[in-house]
Amino acid sequence: VFEAALLADNQRRASAVRARFEHARITALNLIGAPGAGKTALLVATILALSDRACTVIEGDQATDNDAKRIAATGCRVVQVNTGAGCHLDAEMIAGALGRLEPNDGSLLFVENVGNLVCPALFDLGEAAKVVVMSVTEGDDKPLKYPHVFRAASAMVLNKVDLVPHLEVDPAQLVANALRVNPALAVFSLSATRGLGLEPWCGWLRARARAAA
Amino acid sequence: VFEAALLADNQRRASAVRARFEHARITALNLIGAPGAGKTALLVATILALSDRACTVIEGDQATDNDAKRIAATGCRVVQVNTGAGCHLDAEMIAGALGRLEPNDGSLLFVENVGNLVCPALFDLGEAAKVVVMSVTEGDDKPLKYPHVFRAASAMVLNKVDLVPHLEVDPAQLVANALRVNPALAVFSLSATRGLGLEPWCGWLRARARAAA
């Protein structure tokens, strides 16, 4: 469900948020993925691996502050946004959360969107880049079936690769399908909970943060 | 994103679809789940297990007719609906698909919604019941984080239980969380691709179909 006026209004607010980020040299990443893709586990592992970098997090969920608690346990500052029946974060919610979060100049800001591979693709949050997070358990055809988010993203994190031996999924085909939808996609295959393959992903984040400085 | 007028319009159309189903003693089930929950695999296994019953399928996806092809390979009649940027099926799409599908009187009609645990919960399709399908890989906290769909559903299929030994998930806690959100939920734990645990689920479907006859 979407409307041109609503999207135009969001775009206006997102541009203001982006200008604010650029002024403060904050690198904001908008993480989008289905429920259970492992977005929060990825953030926990990433924050611990980037211990030399100032990070903050905005957590989006329909209900509960479970994810914010998991982030806070790492020592990272975090703000939870609950959307109720809403299916995605919007730029106004980010502007509101920033007032509470007060991220440092030059820091990395991770926004974890509501678990949904569909609607969040349409809403600019003022981020420097969208990152689509998917689990290998979701199957190799998903980039073709949900192309919008893969087209909108700059990077794909393919999570839970440790489970591949137990699945009928073909990770090479999955990556090929993602690149067919978006040839410019940076792809990182890893297991957040096992701590496998985190370094290339963290390297990409460091490079984005350096570029903003 | 939703609007009261849009939902009211959908509700009117859904009521007309429901009257049509009741008149023809068609039992329509609306399957809702995240991308990769295994909805299509569940339908393939279910159709084969219910070989003595007339079944038809409406497949919803943003793009591709991959899922319709998988259903058609079982010999079952199927119609694909592509929603483009849309994040859910609505009653108007179902009414349109029925014109092409022409389900038999007294049959079971499965509607596979767009892979999304959020928006489809809000849209009545005229179904007899909503069924939420989730994979154990999604984690035990999901019913609490996405409560709307679990509240709207009559049954939950917990799929891919064969993967539990490889995960840090607690299926008992997952089911307890689902029942906390909706104590009336019928719960079926199974593995569609391994053919495990299908019988109680098929029994529930047969009972629903008998009740409509």
Side-chain angles (χ1 to χ4, degrees), chain A residues 17-18 20-22 24-31 56 58 94 98 103 106-112 124-131 154 204-205 208-209 212:
Chain A
V17 170
R18 180 168 289 111
R20 185 169 161 184
F21 287 149
E22 287 175 359
R25 294 168 291 107
I26 291 169
T27 304
L29 285 314
N30 178 0
L31 271 65
T56 55
I58 297 173
I94 300 301
L98 287 175
S107 61
L108 269 168
L109 168 64
F110 298 101
V111 179
E112 181 180 336
D124 187 0
L125 305 182
E127 71 277 337
K130 290 185 173 71
V131 177
S154 302
W204 185 82
L205 291 170
R208 302 286 315 201

PDB file of all heavy atoms in Angstrom, chain A residues 17-18 20-22 24-31 56 58 94 98 103 106-112 124-131 154 204-205 208-209 212:
ATOM      1  N   VAL A  17      17.024  14.875   6.978  1.00  0.00           N
ATOM      2  CA  VAL A  17      17.804  13.978   7.845  1.00  0.00           C
ATOM      3  C   VAL A  17      19.182  13.727   7.220  1.00  0.00           C
ATOM      4  O   VAL A  17      20.211  13.781   7.909  1.00  0.00           O
ATOM      5  CB  VAL A  17      17.055  12.638   8.056  1.00  0.00           C
ATOM      6  CG1 VAL A  17      17.954  11.613   8.748  1.00  0.00           C
ATOM      7  CG2 VAL A  17      15.777  12.856   8.864  1.00  0.00           C
ATOM      8  N   ARG A  18      19.222  13.515   5.907  1.00  0.00           N
ATOM      9  CA  ARG A  18      20.495  13.242   5.217  1.00  0.00           C
ATOM     10  C   ARG A  18      21.442  14.439   5.341  1.00  0.00           C
ATOM     11  O   ARG A  18      22.640  14.262   5.592  1.00  0.00           O
ATOM     12  CB  ARG A  18      20.227  12.897   3.753  1.00  0.00           C
ATOM     13  CG  ARG A  18      21.513  12.593   2.957  1.00  0.00           C
ATOM     14  CD  ARG A  18      21.226  11.972   1.591  1.00  0.00           C
ATOM     15  NE  ARG A  18      20.738  10.604   1.725  1.00  0.00           N
ATOM     16  CZ  ARG A  18      19.507  10.191   1.452  1.00  0.00           C
ATOM     17  NH1 ARG A  18      18.615  11.033   0.980  1.00  0.00           N
ATOM     18  NH2 ARG A  18      19.176   8.929   1.633  1.00  0.00           N
ATOM     19  N   ARG A  20      21.531  16.583   7.711  1.00  0.00           N
ATOM     20  CA  ARG A  20      21.993  16.596   9.096  1.00  0.00           C
ATOM     21  C   ARG A  20      23.132  15.576   9.298  1.00  0.00           C
ATOM     22  O   ARG A  20      24.134  15.872   9.944  1.00  0.00           O
ATOM     23  CB  ARG A  20      20.779  16.241   9.966  1.00  0.00           C
ATOM     24  CG  ARG A  20      20.994  16.316  11.436  1.00  0.00           C
ATOM     25  CD  ARG A  20      19.647  16.218  12.143  1.00  0.00           C
ATOM     26  NE  ARG A  20      19.807  15.841  13.533  1.00  0.00           N
ATOM     27  CZ  ARG A  20      18.805  15.611  14.362  1.00  0.00           C
ATOM     28  NH1 ARG A  20      17.555  15.708  13.936  1.00  0.00           N
ATOM     29  NH2 ARG A  20      19.029  15.282  15.616  1.00  0.00           N
ATOM     30  N   PHE A  21      22.961  14.358   8.723  1.00  0.00           N
ATOM     31  CA  PHE A  21      24.009  13.329   8.811  1.00  0.00           C
ATOM     32  C   PHE A  21      25.287  13.814   8.136  1.00  0.00           C
ATOM     33  O   PHE A  21      26.389  13.657   8.676  1.00  0.00           O
ATOM     34  CB  PHE A  21      23.552  12.026   8.146  1.00  0.00           C
ATOM     35  CG  PHE A  21      22.527  11.255   8.931  1.00  0.00           C
ATOM     36  CD1 PHE A  21      21.572  10.477   8.274  1.00  0.00           C
ATOM     37  CD2 PHE A  21      22.525  11.267  10.320  1.00  0.00           C
ATOM     38  CE1 PHE A  21      20.627   9.744   8.980  1.00  0.00           C
ATOM     39  CE2 PHE A  21      21.575  10.529  11.041  1.00  0.00           C
ATOM     40  CZ  PHE A  21      20.631   9.774  10.371  1.00  0.00           C
ATOM     41  N   GLU A  22      25.146  14.395   6.956  1.00  0.00           N
ATOM     42  CA  GLU A  22      26.341  14.805   6.209  1.00  0.00           C
ATOM     43  C   GLU A  22      27.081  15.905   6.949  1.00  0.00           C
ATOM     44  O   GLU A  22      28.315  15.907   7.020  1.00  0.00           O
ATOM     45  CB  GLU A  22      25.940  15.234   4.789  1.00  0.00           C
ATOM     46  CG  GLU A  22      25.575  14.015   3.947  1.00  0.00           C
ATOM     47  CD  GLU A  22      25.049  14.339   2.559  1.00  0.00           C
ATOM     48  OE1 GLU A  22      24.929  15.536   2.218  1.00  0.00           O
ATOM     49  OE2 GLU A  22      24.749  13.385   1.810  1.00  0.00           O
ATOM     50  N   ALA A  24      27.237  16.310  10.116  1.00  0.00           N
ATOM     51  CA  ALA A  24      27.897  15.749  11.298  1.00  0.00           C
ATOM     52  C   ALA A  24      28.805  14.577  10.928  1.00  0.00           C
ATOM     53  O   ALA A  24      29.310  13.876  11.803  1.00  0.00           O
ATOM     54  CB  ALA A  24      26.849  15.299  12.324  1.00  0.00           C
ATOM     55  N   ARG A  25      29.016  14.338   9.607  1.00  0.00           N
ATOM     56  CA  ARG A  25      29.862  13.228   9.117  1.00  0.00           C
ATOM     57  C   ARG A  25      29.440  11.885   9.747  1.00  0.00           C
ATOM     58  O   ARG A  25      30.272  11.043  10.068  1.00  0.00           O
ATOM     59  CB  ARG A  25      31.343  13.512   9.407  1.00  0.00           C
ATOM     60  CG  ARG A  25      31.885  14.725   8.618  1.00  0.00           C
ATOM     61  CD  ARG A  25      33.244  15.164   9.124  1.00  0.00           C
ATOM     62  NE  ARG A  25      33.156  15.748  10.469  1.00  0.00           N
ATOM     63  CZ  ARG A  25      33.564  15.171  11.597  1.00  0.00           C
ATOM     64  NH1 ARG A  25      34.148  14.000  11.568  1.00  0.00           N
ATOM     65  NH2 ARG A  25      33.398  15.766  12.763  1.00  0.00           N
ATOM     66  N   ILE A  26      28.137  11.715   9.896  1.00  0.00           N
ATOM     67  CA  ILE A  26      27.591  10.450  10.402  1.00  0.00           C
ATOM     68  C   ILE A  26      27.258   9.542   9.215  1.00  0.00           C
ATOM     69  O   ILE A  26      26.621   9.992   8.259  1.00  0.00           O
ATOM     70  CB  ILE A  26      26.329  10.708  11.258  1.00  0.00           C
ATOM     71  CG1 ILE A  26      26.718  11.414  12.562  1.00  0.00           C
ATOM     72  CG2 ILE A  26      25.568   9.413  11.535  1.00  0.00           C
ATOM     73  CD1 ILE A  26      25.535  11.949  13.346  1.00  0.00           C
ATOM     74  N   THR A  27      27.734   8.301   9.279  1.00  0.00           N
ATOM     75  CA  THR A  27      27.438   7.330   8.228  1.00  0.00           C
ATOM     76  C   THR A  27      26.279   6.469   8.691  1.00  0.00           C
ATOM     77  O   THR A  27      26.424   5.670   9.627  1.00  0.00           O
ATOM     78  CB  THR A  27      28.668   6.437   7.946  1.00  0.00           C
ATOM     79  OG1 THR A  27      29.767   7.289   7.627  1.00  0.00           O
ATOM     80  CG2 THR A  27      28.390   5.491   6.788  1.00  0.00           C
ATOM     81  N   ALA A  28      25.123   6.654   8.061  1.00  0.00           N
ATOM     82  CA  ALA A  28      23.917   5.924   8.473  1.00  0.00           C
ATOM     83  C   ALA A  28      23.627   4.794   7.491  1.00  0.00           C
ATOM     84  O   ALA A  28      23.597   5.010   6.282  1.00  0.00           O
ATOM     85  CB  ALA A  28      22.729   6.878   8.545  1.00  0.00           C
ATOM     86  N   LEU A  29      23.439   3.590   8.018  1.00  0.00           N
ATOM     87  CA  LEU A  29      23.110   2.412   7.214  1.00  0.00           C
ATOM     88  C   LEU A  29      21.723   1.921   7.596  1.00  0.00           C
ATOM     89  O   LEU A  29      21.421   1.774   8.770  1.00  0.00           O
ATOM     90  CB  LEU A  29      24.114   1.277   7.467  1.00  0.00           C
ATOM     91  CG  LEU A  29      25.533   1.330   6.885  1.00  0.00           C
ATOM     92  CD1 LEU A  29      25.511   1.745   5.420  1.00  0.00           C
ATOM     93  CD2 LEU A  29      26.452   2.239   7.683  1.00  0.00           C
ATOM     94  N   ASN A  30      20.901   1.670   6.598  1.00  0.00           N
ATOM     95  CA  ASN A  30      19.521   1.216   6.796  1.00  0.00           C
ATOM     96  C   ASN A  30      19.470  -0.277   6.496  1.00  0.00           C
ATOM     97  O   ASN A  30      19.536  -0.695   5.343  1.00  0.00           O
ATOM     98  CB  ASN A  30      18.629   2.023   5.840  1.00  0.00           C
ATOM     99  CG  ASN A  30      17.167   1.651   5.886  1.00  0.00           C
ATOM    100  OD1 ASN A  30      16.760   0.771   6.630  1.00  0.00           O
ATOM    101  ND2 ASN A  30      16.372   2.327   5.070  1.00  0.00           N
ATOM    102  N   LEU A  31      19.370  -1.100   7.555  1.00  0.00           N
ATOM    103  CA  LEU A  31      19.376  -2.560   7.397  1.00  0.00           C
ATOM    104  C   LEU A  31      17.957  -3.085   7.208  1.00  0.00           C
ATOM    105  O   LEU A  31      17.091  -2.915   8.075  1.00  0.00           O
ATOM    106  CB  LEU A  31      20.007  -3.240   8.619  1.00  0.00           C
ATOM    107  CG  LEU A  31      21.528  -3.445   8.551  1.00  0.00           C
ATOM    108  CD1 LEU A  31      22.253  -2.119   8.536  1.00  0.00           C
ATOM    109  CD2 LEU A  31      22.006  -4.321   9.694  1.00  0.00           C
ATOM    110  N   THR A  56      26.104   3.849  17.034  1.00  0.00           N
ATOM    111  CA  THR A  56      24.815   3.913  17.720  1.00  0.00           C
ATOM    112  C   THR A  56      23.791   3.194  16.845  1.00  0.00           C
ATOM    113  O   THR A  56      24.051   2.931  15.666  1.00  0.00           O
ATOM    114  CB  THR A  56      24.342   5.366  17.971  1.00  0.00           C
ATOM    115  OG1 THR A  56      24.335   6.070  16.727  1.00  0.00           O
ATOM    116  CG2 THR A  56      25.221   6.079  18.970  1.00  0.00           C
ATOM    117  N   ILE A  58      19.436   2.607  15.902  1.00  0.00           N
ATOM    118  CA  ILE A  58      17.983   2.805  16.023  1.00  0.00           C
ATOM    119  C   ILE A  58      17.323   1.485  15.652  1.00  0.00           C
ATOM    120  O   ILE A  58      17.548   0.960  14.566  1.00  0.00           O
ATOM    121  CB  ILE A  58      17.477   3.931  15.098  1.00  0.00           C
ATOM    122  CG1 ILE A  58      18.111   5.278  15.503  1.00  0.00           C
ATOM    123  CG2 ILE A  58      15.949   4.021  15.130  1.00  0.00           C
ATOM    124  CD1 ILE A  58      17.798   6.421  14.537  1.00  0.00           C
ATOM    125  N   ILE A  94      12.812   8.528  12.239  1.00  0.00           N
ATOM    126  CA  ILE A  94      14.266   8.652  12.418  1.00  0.00           C
ATOM    127  C   ILE A  94      14.595  10.016  13.032  1.00  0.00           C
ATOM    128  O   ILE A  94      15.389  10.112  13.985  1.00  0.00           O
ATOM    129  CB  ILE A  94      14.996   8.481  11.063  1.00  0.00           C
ATOM    130  CG1 ILE A  94      14.693   7.090  10.480  1.00  0.00           C
ATOM    131  CG2 ILE A  94      16.505   8.700  11.228  1.00  0.00           C
ATOM    132  CD1 ILE A  94      15.092   5.930  11.344  1.00  0.00           C
ATOM    133  N   LEU A  98      16.500  10.484  16.573  1.00  0.00           N
ATOM    134  CA  LEU A  98      17.802  11.162  16.658  1.00  0.00           C
ATOM    135  C   LEU A  98      17.845  12.140  17.826  1.00  0.00           C
ATOM    136  O   LEU A  98      18.891  12.327  18.451  1.00  0.00           O
ATOM    137  CB  LEU A  98      18.093  11.906  15.345  1.00  0.00           C
ATOM    138  CG  LEU A  98      18.466  11.025  14.161  1.00  0.00           C
ATOM    139  CD1 LEU A  98      18.607  11.875  12.897  1.00  0.00           C
ATOM    140  CD2 LEU A  98      19.752  10.252  14.439  1.00  0.00           C
ATOM    141  N   PRO A 103      23.586  10.918  18.252  1.00  0.00           N
ATOM    142  CA  PRO A 103      24.808  10.231  17.817  1.00  0.00           C
ATOM    143  C   PRO A 103      25.973  11.213  17.693  1.00  0.00           C
ATOM    144  O   PRO A 103      25.788  12.366  17.321  1.00  0.00           O
ATOM    145  CB  PRO A 103      24.419   9.664  16.439  1.00  0.00           C
ATOM    146  CG  PRO A 103      23.276  10.494  15.970  1.00  0.00           C
ATOM    147  CD  PRO A 103      22.553  10.955  17.204  1.00  0.00           C
ATOM    148  N   GLY A 106      30.830  12.041  13.291  1.00  0.00           N
ATOM    149  CA  GLY A 106      31.786  11.080  12.737  1.00  0.00           C
ATOM    150  C   GLY A 106      31.483   9.625  13.047  1.00  0.00           C
ATOM    151  O   GLY A 106      32.270   8.734  12.709  1.00  0.00           O
ATOM    152  N   SER A 107      30.337   9.350  13.689  1.00  0.00           N
ATOM    153  CA  SER A 107      30.049   7.971  14.104  1.00  0.00           C
ATOM    154  C   SER A 107      29.324   7.177  13.024  1.00  0.00           C
ATOM    155  O   SER A 107      28.889   7.718  12.006  1.00  0.00           O
ATOM    156  CB  SER A 107      29.208   7.987  15.387  1.00  0.00           C
ATOM    157  OG  SER A 107      27.974   8.642  15.145  1.00  0.00           O
ATOM    158  N   LEU A 108      29.212   5.887  13.242  1.00  0.00           N
ATOM    159  CA  LEU A 108      28.407   4.985  12.422  1.00  0.00           C
ATOM    160  C   LEU A 108      27.051   4.811  13.094  1.00  0.00           C
ATOM    161  O   LEU A 108      26.989   4.505  14.290  1.00  0.00           O
ATOM    162  CB  LEU A 108      29.074   3.605  12.342  1.00  0.00           C
ATOM    163  CG  LEU A 108      30.043   3.323  11.198  1.00  0.00           C
ATOM    164  CD1 LEU A 108      30.812   2.026  11.487  1.00  0.00           C
ATOM    165  CD2 LEU A 108      29.297   3.177   9.877  1.00  0.00           C
ATOM    166  N   LEU A 109      25.996   5.010  12.334  1.00  0.00           N
ATOM    167  CA  LEU A 109      24.637   4.830  12.871  1.00  0.00           C
ATOM    168  C   LEU A 109      23.945   3.709  12.096  1.00  0.00           C
ATOM    169  O   LEU A 109      23.775   3.804  10.877  1.00  0.00           O
ATOM    170  CB  LEU A 109      23.826   6.125  12.734  1.00  0.00           C
ATOM    171  CG  LEU A 109      22.319   6.005  12.980  1.00  0.00           C
ATOM    172  CD1 LEU A 109      22.023   5.589  14.418  1.00  0.00           C
ATOM    173  CD2 LEU A 109      21.615   7.326  12.670  1.00  0.00           C
ATOM    174  N   PHE A 110      23.581   2.642  12.798  1.00  0.00           N
ATOM    175  CA  PHE A 110      22.854   1.544  12.173  1.00  0.00           C
ATOM    176  C   PHE A 110      21.364   1.681  12.466  1.00  0.00           C
ATOM    177  O   PHE A 110      20.975   1.848  13.622  1.00  0.00           O
ATOM    178  CB  PHE A 110      23.335   0.193  12.701  1.00  0.00           C
ATOM    179  CG  PHE A 110      24.771  -0.093  12.408  1.00  0.00           C
ATOM    180  CD1 PHE A 110      25.745   0.074  13.386  1.00  0.00           C
ATOM    181  CD2 PHE A 110      25.159  -0.518  11.146  1.00  0.00           C
ATOM    182  CE1 PHE A 110      27.083  -0.190  13.113  1.00  0.00           C
ATOM    183  CE2 PHE A 110      26.499  -0.779  10.865  1.00  0.00           C
ATOM    184  CZ  PHE A 110      27.461  -0.612  11.848  1.00  0.00           C
ATOM    185  N   VAL A 111      20.556   1.630  11.426  1.00  0.00           N
ATOM    186  CA  VAL A 111      19.108   1.626  11.596  1.00  0.00           C
ATOM    187  C   VAL A 111      18.613   0.236  11.216  1.00  0.00           C
ATOM    188  O   VAL A 111      18.797  -0.199  10.081  1.00  0.00           O
ATOM    189  CB  VAL A 111      18.430   2.678  10.693  1.00  0.00           C
ATOM    190  CG1 VAL A 111      16.920   2.630  10.875  1.00  0.00           C
ATOM    191  CG2 VAL A 111      18.974   4.065  10.989  1.00  0.00           C
ATOM    192  N   GLU A 112      18.028  -0.481  12.181  1.00  0.00           N
ATOM    193  CA  GLU A 112      17.449  -1.794  11.862  1.00  0.00           C
ATOM    194  C   GLU A 112      15.971  -1.587  11.598  1.00  0.00           C
ATOM    195  O   GLU A 112      15.187  -1.267  12.490  1.00  0.00           O
ATOM    196  CB  GLU A 112      17.651  -2.801  13.004  1.00  0.00           C
ATOM    197  CG  GLU A 112      17.059  -4.151  12.626  1.00  0.00           C
ATOM    198  CD  GLU A 112      17.205  -5.230  13.676  1.00  0.00           C
ATOM    199  OE1 GLU A 112      18.113  -5.161  14.523  1.00  0.00           O
ATOM    200  OE2 GLU A 112      16.384  -6.172  13.657  1.00  0.00           O
ATOM    201  N   ASP A 124      12.914   6.135   1.973  1.00  0.00           N
ATOM    202  CA  ASP A 124      14.221   6.723   2.262  1.00  0.00           C
ATOM    203  C   ASP A 124      14.221   7.212   3.703  1.00  0.00           C
ATOM    204  O   ASP A 124      13.278   7.886   4.139  1.00  0.00           O
ATOM    205  CB  ASP A 124      14.439   7.900   1.296  1.00  0.00           C
ATOM    206  CG  ASP A 124      15.836   8.497   1.390  1.00  0.00           C
ATOM    207  OD1 ASP A 124      16.648   8.015   2.202  1.00  0.00           O
ATOM    208  OD2 ASP A 124      16.101   9.449   0.634  1.00  0.00           O
ATOM    209  N   LEU A 125      15.260   6.850   4.448  1.00  0.00           N
ATOM    210  CA  LEU A 125      15.387   7.317   5.835  1.00  0.00           C
ATOM    211  C   LEU A 125      16.506   8.333   5.979  1.00  0.00           C
ATOM    212  O   LEU A 125      16.897   8.681   7.088  1.00  0.00           O
ATOM    213  CB  LEU A 125      15.637   6.121   6.766  1.00  0.00           C
ATOM    214  CG  LEU A 125      14.617   4.982   6.717  1.00  0.00           C
ATOM    215  CD1 LEU A 125      14.980   3.897   7.727  1.00  0.00           C
ATOM    216  CD2 LEU A 125      13.201   5.497   6.969  1.00  0.00           C
ATOM    217  N   GLY A 126      17.059   8.794   4.858  1.00  0.00           N
ATOM    218  CA  GLY A 126      18.196   9.704   4.908  1.00  0.00           C
ATOM    219  C   GLY A 126      19.527   8.979   5.027  1.00  0.00           C
ATOM    220  O   GLY A 126      20.566   9.589   5.243  1.00  0.00           O
ATOM    221  N   GLU A 127      19.514   7.664   4.883  1.00  0.00           N
ATOM    222  CA  GLU A 127      20.710   6.840   5.067  1.00  0.00           C
ATOM    223  C   GLU A 127      21.718   7.066   3.937  1.00  0.00           C
ATOM    224  O   GLU A 127      21.354   7.486   2.841  1.00  0.00           O
ATOM    225  CB  GLU A 127      20.332   5.353   5.095  1.00  0.00           C
ATOM    226  CG  GLU A 127      19.885   4.746   3.767  1.00  0.00           C
ATOM    227  CD  GLU A 127      18.413   4.979   3.430  1.00  0.00           C
ATOM    228  OE1 GLU A 127      17.618   5.209   4.357  1.00  0.00           O
ATOM    229  OE2 GLU A 127      18.078   4.936   2.231  1.00  0.00           O
ATOM    230  N   ALA A 128      22.999   6.728   4.236  1.00  0.00           N
ATOM    231  CA  ALA A 128      24.031   6.734   3.197  1.00  0.00           C
ATOM    232  C   ALA A 128      23.849   5.537   2.273  1.00  0.00           C
ATOM    233  O   ALA A 128      24.132   5.621   1.075  1.00  0.00           O
ATOM    234  CB  ALA A 128      25.416   6.690   3.842  1.00  0.00           C
ATOM    235  N   ALA A 129      23.375   4.424   2.821  1.00  0.00           N
ATOM    236  CA  ALA A 129      23.186   3.223   2.002  1.00  0.00           C
ATOM    237  C   ALA A 129      22.184   2.291   2.676  1.00  0.00           C
ATOM    238  O   ALA A 129      22.102   2.231   3.901  1.00  0.00           O
ATOM    239  CB  ALA A 129      24.515   2.479   1.819  1.00  0.00           C
ATOM    240  N   LYS A 130      21.432   1.582   1.844  1.00  0.00           N
ATOM    241  CA  LYS A 130      20.595   0.487   2.329  1.00  0.00           C
ATOM    242  C   LYS A 130      21.396  -0.811   2.240  1.00  0.00           C
ATOM    243  O   LYS A 130      22.132  -1.030   1.271  1.00  0.00           O
ATOM    244  CB  LYS A 130      19.335   0.347   1.470  1.00  0.00           C
ATOM    245  CG  LYS A 130      18.324   1.478   1.629  1.00  0.00           C
ATOM    246  CD  LYS A 130      17.061   1.172   0.812  1.00  0.00           C
ATOM    247  CE  LYS A 130      15.961   2.190   1.075  1.00  0.00           C
ATOM    248  NZ  LYS A 130      16.276   3.526   0.483  1.00  0.00           N
ATOM    249  N   VAL A 131      21.229  -1.676   3.239  1.00  0.00           N
ATOM    250  CA  VAL A 131      21.872  -2.997   3.245  1.00  0.00           C
ATOM    251  C   VAL A 131      20.770  -4.032   3.380  1.00  0.00           C
ATOM    252  O   VAL A 131      19.987  -3.989   4.337  1.00  0.00           O
ATOM    253  CB  VAL A 131      22.861  -3.127   4.421  1.00  0.00           C
ATOM    254  CG1 VAL A 131      23.458  -4.530   4.465  1.00  0.00           C
ATOM    255  CG2 VAL A 131      23.952  -2.063   4.333  1.00  0.00           C
ATOM    256  N   SER A 154      22.757  -1.101  -1.523  1.00  0.00           N
ATOM    257  CA  SER A 154      24.152  -1.019  -1.977  1.00  0.00           C
ATOM    258  C   SER A 154      24.913  -2.288  -1.637  1.00  0.00           C
ATOM    259  O   SER A 154      25.919  -2.598  -2.265  1.00  0.00           O
ATOM    260  CB  SER A 154      24.849   0.171  -1.307  1.00  0.00           C
ATOM    261  OG  SER A 154      24.174   1.372  -1.606  1.00  0.00           O
ATOM    262  N   TRP A 204      34.149  -2.989   4.664  1.00  0.00           N
ATOM    263  CA  TRP A 204      33.259  -2.165   3.832  1.00  0.00           C
ATOM    264  C   TRP A 204      32.674  -1.014   4.660  1.00  0.00           C
ATOM    265  O   TRP A 204      32.622   0.129   4.220  1.00  0.00           O
ATOM    266  CB  TRP A 204      32.155  -3.050   3.248  1.00  0.00           C
ATOM    267  CG  TRP A 204      31.223  -2.381   2.290  1.00  0.00           C
ATOM    268  CD1 TRP A 204      31.447  -2.159   0.961  1.00  0.00           C
ATOM    269  CD2 TRP A 204      29.907  -1.867   2.568  1.00  0.00           C
ATOM    270  NE1 TRP A 204      30.359  -1.529   0.398  1.00  0.00           N
ATOM    271  CE2 TRP A 204      29.398  -1.341   1.361  1.00  0.00           C
ATOM    272  CE3 TRP A 204      29.115  -1.794   3.708  1.00  0.00           C
ATOM    273  CZ2 TRP A 204      28.126  -0.765   1.261  1.00  0.00           C
ATOM    274  CZ3 TRP A 204      27.848  -1.217   3.620  1.00  0.00           C
ATOM    275  CH2 TRP A 204      27.365  -0.706   2.409  1.00  0.00           C
ATOM    276  N   LEU A 205      32.287  -1.321   5.902  1.00  0.00           N
ATOM    277  CA  LEU A 205      31.734  -0.292   6.785  1.00  0.00           C
ATOM    278  C   LEU A 205      32.781   0.772   7.109  1.00  0.00           C
ATOM    279  O   LEU A 205      32.489   1.974   7.084  1.00  0.00           O
ATOM    280  CB  LEU A 205      31.211  -0.930   8.078  1.00  0.00           C
ATOM    281  CG  LEU A 205      29.965  -1.816   7.942  1.00  0.00           C
ATOM    282  CD1 LEU A 205      29.715  -2.573   9.242  1.00  0.00           C
ATOM    283  CD2 LEU A 205      28.741  -0.983   7.569  1.00  0.00           C
ATOM    284  N   ARG A 208      33.201   3.055   4.185  1.00  0.00           N
ATOM    285  CA  ARG A 208      32.084   4.015   4.076  1.00  0.00           C
ATOM    286  C   ARG A 208      32.251   5.150   5.083  1.00  0.00           C
ATOM    287  O   ARG A 208      31.988   6.309   4.784  1.00  0.00           O
ATOM    288  CB  ARG A 208      30.726   3.325   4.358  1.00  0.00           C
ATOM    289  CG  ARG A 208      30.340   2.152   3.477  1.00  0.00           C
ATOM    290  CD  ARG A 208      29.894   2.476   2.087  1.00  0.00           C
ATOM    291  NE  ARG A 208      28.965   3.579   1.948  1.00  0.00           N
ATOM    292  CZ  ARG A 208      28.178   3.758   0.896  1.00  0.00           C
ATOM    293  NH1 ARG A 208      28.148   2.853  -0.077  1.00  0.00           N
ATOM    294  NH2 ARG A 208      27.418   4.813   0.790  1.00  0.00           N
ATOM    295  N   ALA A 209      32.676   4.798   6.305  1.00  0.00           N
ATOM    296  CA  ALA A 209      32.847   5.818   7.352  1.00  0.00           C
ATOM    297  C   ALA A 209      33.996   6.759   7.006  1.00  0.00           C
ATOM    298  O   ALA A 209      33.884   7.975   7.212  1.00  0.00           O
ATOM    299  CB  ALA A 209      33.095   5.142   8.704  1.00  0.00           C
ATOM    300  N   ALA A 212      33.019   9.380   4.507  1.00  0.00           N
ATOM    301  CA  ALA A 212      32.144  10.440   5.036  1.00  0.00           C
ATOM    302  C   ALA A 212      32.929  11.457   5.857  1.00  0.00           C
ATOM    303  O   ALA A 212      32.433  12.553   6.126  1.00  0.00           O
ATOM    304  CB  ALA A 212      31.046   9.820   5.897  1.00  0.00           C
TER     305      ALA A 212
END
